[in-house]
Amino acid sequence: MEKGRGINLKVFLKWLIFLLLFMAGLKAAVRLLYPSNMAMRMWQRFYTLKEGEAELLVLGSSHAYATFDPAVIREVMGMSSYNLASNSQSAVQAYFNLKEALQYQRPRIVILEAFSLDDNNNWRNGPTPDRDWKKEANIDGMRFGLTKLEAVREQYLRENWSYAMLPIARCHNNWEDITVIGSNLAFWGRGIREFTSFHPSATSMSEETAALYAQAEYNATERMISATNECYFHKLAQLCREEGISFYLVMAPMYDEYIRSINYDSWADKLEALAESEGVYYLDCNRYYGETGLEAGDFEDVFNGFHHLNGTGAAKVSRFVMEKIRHQE
């Protein structure tokens, strides 16, 4: 009996070593082959933060990572911050991002940029349901664990679970692309500590682009909040209450000519009512152009397009928003 047990133990240890080596190899392959993108690196940099380096967390879409300047946040609030926003991030993804972040950091303040509360149903519809690189990149960056498993279960149809959990199956052809491998090697070799998740636009909007917005016809269609995003906004508010975190809903500014061309007020009213239902402070920067310093003629200085600010605009808006929040604390 003792001999039999010894043999079984050896077999078990061999399989365990094989599994560990396989997992390590798989992780290395993903790091080399995964297409370089900001969402993946946003998470990789987050996991290197020391305890207490994210006193303020920002969640949301590209509107969020193009708006909130950590240098200005530190200057006004005296707080370190980190931006966990990603391309077209929905309130669903924002919820799981916060849930994952709370395993490593204890933020005092969380800001959700309100554009995440649009009519996006987390890519559940369309020709390839659930399969969208923007959602995948955000989930792929998370470490394997219960939160990641829950995020996949809630955001993907059952038949897509393996697709969501195995990025290597989507990236194996990248062996042919030396630039991807080279970029990843450079990032892991020396670039991870230099990476910032704050990404304002590098250029300013042209006068020609501004003229196109000025000529746009008014669109009276009501903008909606998807039921899924509304549900997860409530979950976010509840999670923040349970953790003793101050939670704010902030709409980053968009170009004023664009705002005037859409039925923006109907959407803003819905957002305000949703925030009020949870007792959450809602700040709409599109209703404070004068106070933010984003005058209509400043397109060459602060906007890249109707959606995104450049560095100058982000500094102005970050200061305005942080002053408002500081007086709420």
Side-chain angles (χ1 to χ4, degrees), residues 10-299:
K10 287 181 180 179
V11 171
F12 171 77
L13 289 174
K14 286 180 180 179
W15 276 105
L16 180 60
I17 292 170
F18 169 79
L19 182 61
L20 291 174
L21 289 173
F22 175 78
M23 294 299 292
L26 186 63
K27 185 174 183 178
V30 170
R31 286 190 173 187
L32 282 174
L33 295 171
Y34 195 98
S36 302
N37 67 62
M38 201 164 59
M40 189 77 169
R41 293 183 175 182
M42 168 198 77
W43 278 113
Q44 291 162 343
R45 177 67 179 93
F46 172 80
Y47 291 123
T48 70
L49 296 178
K50 297 177 182 177
E51 186 177 350
E53 280 195 83
E55 297 172 284
L56 186 152
L57 276 178
V58 177
L59 306 168
S61 67
S62 56
H63 290 241
Y65 67 61
T67 297
F68 296 101
D69 186 334
V72 176
I73 292 172
R74 181 177 288 280
E75 180 184 340
V76 177
M77 302 291 291
M79 301 172 68
S80 58
S81 62
Y82 194 78
N83 202 312
L84 274 175
S86 58
N87 300 77
S88 300
Q89 187 180 108
S90 65
V92 185
Q93 295 175 56
Y95 169 78
F96 287 109
N97 281 18
L98 177 57
K99 197 168 182 180
E100 173 71 2
L102 289 177
Q103 297 181 57
Y104 303 90
Q105 297 289 328
R106 307 307 303 172
R108 290 161 46 195
I109 293 174
V110 166
I111 296 173
L112 175 66
E113 202 291 314
F115 204 86
S116 295
L117 291 163
D118 61 5
D119 60 357
N120 175 10
N121 197 29
N122 218 24
W123 294 282
R124 277 293 167 94
N125 306 314
T128 56
D130 284 344
R131 298 191 176 195
D132 185 277
W133 71 268
K134 296 171 185 176
K135 180 167 67 173
E136 287 148 15
N138 185 64
I139 289 179
D140 288 346
M142 287 185 184
R143 286 178 175 170
F144 183 80
L146 292 178
T147 301
K148 182 168 183 170
L149 291 173
E150 184 185 359
V152 168
R153 185 191 68 189
E154 292 295 315
Q155 295 185 73
Y156 286 87
L157 300 171
R158 185 182 295 271
E159 56 265 30
N160 285 330
W161 285 358
S162 60
Y163 171 87
M165 290 299 299
L166 295 172
I168 191 65
R170 296 181 248 117
C171 305
H172 57 84
N173 289 334
N174 288 344
W175 279 120
E176 302 170 7
D177 190 348
I178 300 300
T179 59
V180 169
I181 299 171
S183 174
N184 287 337
L185 283 172
F187 176 74
W188 287 108
R190 63 182 182 275
I192 189 166
R193 292 294 298 183
E194 299 171 2
F195 178 82
T196 173
S197 54
F198 168 55
H199 289 277
S201 297
T203 58
S204 298
M205 183 164 59
S206 69
E207 190 170 358
E208 291 75 18
T209 301
L212 291 175
Y213 294 140
Q215 296 165 12
E217 294 183 4
Y218 180 71
N219 183 349
T221 304
E222 284 202 14
R223 298 178 71 90
M224 305 301 294
I225 302 172
S226 76
T228 307
N229 279 331
E230 183 172 343
C231 172
Y232 275 86
F233 174 80
H234 291 300
K235 286 177 176 284
L236 268 167
Q238 180 180 350
L239 180 58
C240 286
R241 277 195 301 271
E242 291 171 351
E243 297 292 334
I245 299 169
S246 298
F247 181 43
Y248 294 92
L249 182 64
V250 177
M251 178 67 83
M254 291 175 277
Y255 190 56
D256 62 340
E257 293 284 3
Y258 170 73
I259 290 292
R260 287 196 285 269
S261 73
I262 64 173
N263 188 356
Y264 181 77
D265 285 341
S266 67
W267 190 28
D269 289 344
K270 292 184 180 84
L271 291 168
E272 188 169 10
L274 182 59
E276 187 177 348
S277 72
E278 288 287 354
V280 171
Y281 179 76
Y282 172 57
L283 177 61
D284 189 340
C285 293
N286 293 303
R287 292 175 171 173
Y288 293 91
Y289 262 85
E291 292 183 49
T292 56
L294 306 183
E295 302 299 334
D298 283 348
F299 63 86

